[in-house]
Amino acid sequence: MSELTQEPGPAARVRVVIVGAGMAGVQTAVALREQGFAGSVTLIGAEPHQPYDRPPLSKAVLLGKAEGSAFDVDFETLDVELRLGLEATGVRPDARELDTAEGHVPYDVLVVATGAEPVRLPGAEGVPGVHLLRTLDDAERLRPVLARQHDIVVVGAGWIGAEFATAAREAGCSVTVVEAAGRPLVGALPEEVAAPMTAWYADSGASLRTHARVERVEPGAVVLDDGSRLPAGAVVVGIGARPATSWLAGSGIELGAHREVVADDHLRTSLPDVYAVGDCASFPSGRYGERLLVHHWDNALQGPRTVAANIVGETPTPYDPVPYFWSEQFGRFVQYAGHHGAADALLWRGDPAGPSWSVCWLREGRLVAVLAVGRPRDLAQGRRLIESGTRMDPTLLTDPSRPLKGAAL
């Protein structure tokens, strides 16, 4: 509980400053008002745009089916001050001030929600035709590229690379995806689970080149380390993201191995009255017995409720979600819930060569993660079974004709 909210009376004068106007920052502001916080709330965003949701950027916005994806939030009615186009440059905790390009912003409680920033391809910065896909401006720059049906090279066969390749093929572009590793989704899924997804690229008409490292990018071409030259009217880089925390240098806020803010199980940082939420923060999971750094939309939606509860003076339960995300790629709806890192068994439901199948991970007989391709019911039931820690019958679980919950013991 914050000491600020224990004093009688002054809670209404408490100033909460939220840095980051993405999902985590916006939802923190909304949750504060929903939970009765009466103090001032200032939401600071580095981009000049009205706060917006990111998932549509690689889909409807990119393909010109939507002009934007602004959140349906009435900030004026919520009495939330928006300061957009303003970049935070530092924190001085002793003075309780946030440094920005326009001067100091005082706070009583600070919420760090600056998300993640894309990893850039070394040597490609400044080369014409090289793009990232993280912001609304990125999507708007790429939209006419797709409309002109350029030859496109995508660097990276992760989630964002696959989603962009999907949109580019839908737009009629010729697409080559190059991946330095030997398969898609390295680091996200085990090899045997990602293997069936390799065929999705060819099925969609995209070319996937694995064990392919980019030597350099030139105007109009990507040169690989084996000497191959790939024609590229545009290059889209999707090789990962890292927490956007460089502005916290010297603040005293503890950062972890991935430069993320190290938060506790109530999303408090190492400094008093400073919280961190969303892609920029890791937290200890009691459920999985390890610290998690989750770069997905649902984490940015759920975590703010815990932050708000702390600020208004409640004592919430520890933040220990079942991580969840989805991806739409190559005509398939892929969903994942849980965390499979400590699993001791992997079981299949259905034929991975078919249009719909699932993978379940167990630890000591209990479901800890599920990946569902075109089987949303498996995902919904699996998520609840993970939350409840229910023991499962492995034999019944592998029968795809049986509801997943029907394998519960």
Side-chain angles (χ1 to χ4, degrees):
M1 182 181 296
S2 165
E3 294 178 359
L4 293 165
T5 54
Q6 292 177 0
E7 302 171 5
R13 297 193 296 274
V14 170
R15 298 164 298 187
V16 174
V17 175
I18 304 166
V19 187
M23 172 62 81
V26 168
Q27 288 301 318
T28 299
V30 171
L32 281 167
R33 292 307 189 213
E34 287 179 344
Q35 296 184 31
F37 179 71
S40 73
V41 178
T42 300
L43 181 63
I44 295 177
E47 295 181 56
H49 308 291
Q50 192 75 4
Y52 61 87
D53 203 5
R54 293 190 189 277
L57 297 184
S58 61
K59 306 172 184 72
V61 174
L62 188 62
L63 290 169
K65 297 178 180 178
E67 286 304 310
S69 55
F71 291 114
D72 184 17
V73 175
D74 189 335
F75 294 100
E76 185 176 354
T77 299
L78 288 177
D79 192 21
V80 172
E81 179 190 9
L82 281 183
R83 298 190 63 179
L84 303 176
L86 182 61
E87 192 163 353
T89 58
V91 180
R92 288 178 294 114
D94 291 341
R96 293 202 178 226
E97 288 183 336
L98 178 75
D99 292 333
T100 76
E102 296 179 2
H104 308 314
V105 179
Y107 68 84
D108 296 310
V109 178
L110 180 68
V111 181
V112 178
T114 42
E117 56 194 5
V119 175
R120 297 178 182 273
L121 184 65
E125 293 185 54
V127 178
V130 176
H131 300 264
L132 299 167
L133 180 53
R134 182 72 182 180
T135 68
L136 180 60
D137 288 341
D138 291 337
E140 289 181 343
R141 280 190 289 266
L142 276 164
R143 191 156 56 183
V145 172
L146 296 194
R148 290 193 292 269
Q149 298 186 335
H150 279 295
D151 290 337
I152 293 178
V153 173
V154 180
V155 183
W159 298 113
I160 191 67
E163 289 184 2
F164 179 81
T166 299
R169 286 298 300 139
E170 185 176 335
C173 299
S174 173
V175 178
T176 301
V177 181
V178 296
E179 169 58 55
R183 60 181 178 85
L185 296 168
V186 169
L189 293 174
E191 182 172 4
E192 63 186 298
V193 177
M197 301 177 179
T198 302
W200 298 356
Y201 288 80
D203 291 346
S204 75
S207 173
L208 173 64
R209 295 189 59 163
T210 55
H211 300 292
R213 293 188 175 275
V214 175
E215 180 71 28
R216 65 184 182 276
V217 180
E218 302 173 349
V222 172
V223 181
L224 303 181
D225 61 357
D226 64 359
S228 302
R229 292 177 63 86
L230 305 176
V235 178
V236 177
V237 179
I239 55 176
R242 60 169 62 98
T245 58
S246 59
W247 65 282
L248 295 173
S251 67
I253 294 175
E254 181 185 356
L255 301 182
H258 301 282
R259 307 303 295 167
E260 85 282 8
V261 179
V262 175
D264 69 6
D265 60 0
H266 288 76
L267 301 181
R268 298 171 294 209
T269 74
S270 58
L271 295 181
D273 291 311
V274 180
Y275 298 84
V277 64
D279 290 5
C280 67
S282 66
F283 57 90
S285 170
R287 186 189 314 277
Y288 292 106
E290 60 183 285
R291 180 166 286 275
L292 300 182
L293 175 59
V294 180
H295 281 188
H296 293 301
W297 185 91
D298 192 65
N299 179 50
L301 175 67
Q302 304 295 339
R305 298 168 189 163
T306 294
V307 172
N310 277 283
I311 292 172
V312 301
E314 296 180 4
T315 305
T317 56
Y319 184 61
D320 196 10
V322 173
Y324 166 74
F325 76 91
W326 78 96
S327 176
E328 295 178 66
Q329 52 185 267
F330 307 120
R332 294 165 174 85
F333 187 45
V334 183
Q335 296 172 282
Y336 178 95
H339 177 66
H340 63 266
D344 54 35
L346 184 156
L347 301 172
W348 294 82
R349 286 171 57 82
D351 180 2
S356 61
W357 47 274
S358 297
V359 176
C360 296
W361 286 268
L362 302 181
R363 184 179 65 205
E364 297 177 354
R366 290 178 169 81
L367 191 66
V368 293
V370 59
L371 172 80
V373 177
R375 292 180 67 95
R377 185 174 297 178
D378 277 6
L379 189 288
Q381 294 180 8
R383 193 175 184 182
R384 289 192 291 269
L385 291 165
I386 295 168
E387 288 173 345
S388 63
T390 305
R391 293 188 65 85
M392 308 295 291
D393 182 317
T395 302
L396 297 179
L397 187 145
T398 56
D399 180 358
S401 66
R402 178 186 296 271
L404 190 58
K405 63 183 180 181
L409 293 175

